[in-house]
Amino acid sequence: MAKQQEDESPPNYDDALITSSRYGSLPSTMSVHGQWTKWKSLNLCGANSKERLCLIEMQTGYSGKPPLGMRTGFLLRDGMSTKDQLLAAAGDESRGLHAFNPDGIIFLPPLHPDPKSDHMDTELMRAEPGTNNDIAFHFSIEVGEEERREEFAWRKVKKGDDQANRNGFKLVRLSSSQQTSQRNGSSSVQKSSSSSSPLAGQHGETVAFLGW
């Protein structure tokens, strides 16, 4: 059994500087830029503002439009127009314009989408104690061609820590994990089978950095 687990170990993320998906490829370095004329949206770009990739819409929750409904959050479009296909959405887990909840909910296209349906799966991102008496945001998602489910965490980083040249968050791959899936109506919520915090005492592999 141990040998089988070693053979199935996930690949090193340093071997792939460009991430591919069914929506195309994403560069290893991305940036976010705003425009004075579009204060309710941001541009997801490559290394500079001229390499525009996707539009990020800010949603206040007043409209109640799906998939976020009465939640504040963001919509990611597959292009630079509000009419382009929705790639993903993220917002507060709790509904309500003034709800206070550090946990988040993320809406993603199904792994095996139905062209006749606009259904989106949901993933939860939990705020949990980090490794240095700070906060971290933990989530699980399928990765790779084999759609192997793995655990990740966004961890806060200060300038100078881990060779970071600015403040921000690093994305850490923790480990592969056994997950359970609960489907309720039109949504699918993935939850970890572990009841304890998976962040304690785990360093993991840094696969991305978000700085400002």
Side-chain angles (χ1 to χ4, degrees), residues 134-151:
D134 54 15
I135 193 170
F137 298 93
H138 171 259
F139 65 96
S140 301
I141 196 171
E142 285 79 10
V143 299
E145 295 181 357
E146 297 181 358
E147 299 176 356
R148 178 177 182 149
R149 192 163 183 83
E150 298 186 17
E151 296 184 23

Side-chain angles (χ1 to χ4, degrees), residues 10 13 15-16 29 35 41 53 61 92-93 96 120 129 132 152 154 196:
Y13 279 74
D15 296 336
T29 300
Q35 299 183 70
S41 65
L53 303 173
D92 297 331
E93 182 187 11
M120 301 189 80
N132 297 314
F152 295 84
W154 284 104
S196 61

Side-chain angles (χ1 to χ4, degrees), residues 1-211:
M1 179 65 70
K3 185 177 186 303
Q4 181 180 2
Q5 290 179 347
E6 291 177 359
D7 293 341
E8 295 178 354
S9 60
N12 192 309
Y13 279 74
D14 292 336
D15 296 336
L17 295 181
I18 297 181
T19 303
S20 297
S21 71
R22 61 177 176 269
Y23 298 108
S25 298
L26 296 176
S28 59
T29 300
M30 291 184 289
S31 57
V32 176
H33 301 269
Q35 299 183 70
W36 289 108
T37 57
K38 297 181 179 179
W39 63 278
K40 287 188 177 181
S41 65
L42 298 167
N43 298 331
L44 179 63
C45 306
N48 58 70
S49 60
K50 296 181 179 180
E51 301 175 10
R52 296 185 178 182
L53 303 173
C54 302
L55 183 71
I56 303 174
E57 291 183 73
M58 291 179 274
Q59 182 166 313
T60 60
Y62 286 101
S63 65
K65 294 181 180 180
L68 290 177
M70 299 296 290
R71 297 182 178 95
T72 57
F74 299 90
L75 305 176
L76 180 64
R77 297 288 179 181
D78 188 17
M80 298 305 302
S81 171
T82 56
K83 297 181 180 180
D84 286 327
Q85 179 184 0
L86 182 65
L87 288 181
D92 297 331
E93 182 187 11
S94 300
R95 292 182 175 87
L97 303 180
H98 304 288
F100 177 76
N101 187 346
D103 297 334
I105 187 169
I106 302 171
F107 295 84
L108 298 168
L111 292 175
H112 307 286
D114 181 356
K116 298 181 180 180
S117 173
D118 58 357
H119 159 75
M120 301 189 80
D121 288 344
T122 56
E123 297 283 351
L124 301 180
M125 185 165 64
R126 298 298 188 190
E128 300 176 347
T131 56
N132 297 314
N133 297 321
D134 54 15
I135 193 170
F137 298 93
H138 171 259
F139 65 96
S140 301
I141 196 171
E142 285 79 10
V143 299
E145 295 181 357
E146 297 181 358
E147 299 176 356
R148 178 177 182 149
R149 192 163 183 83
E150 298 186 17
E151 296 184 23
F152 295 84
W154 284 104
R155 290 176 173 168
K156 192 173 183 179
V157 178
K158 295 181 180 179
K159 182 178 179 180
D161 294 343
D162 295 334
Q163 299 180 345
N165 56 9
R166 63 184 69 183
N167 296 327
F169 283 84
K170 63 179 179 179
L171 179 62
V172 178
R173 184 186 67 176
L174 299 176
S175 65
S176 300
S177 62
Q178 297 296 326
Q179 303 290 326
T180 58
S181 176
Q182 295 184 357
R183 295 186 178 273
N184 182 11
S186 61
S187 64
S188 172
V189 178
Q190 304 287 347
K191 296 184 179 180
S192 171
S193 59
S194 175
S195 58
S196 61
S197 172
L199 301 181
Q202 294 192 32
H203 296 285
E205 176 188 358
T206 300
V207 298
F209 178 78
L210 172 64

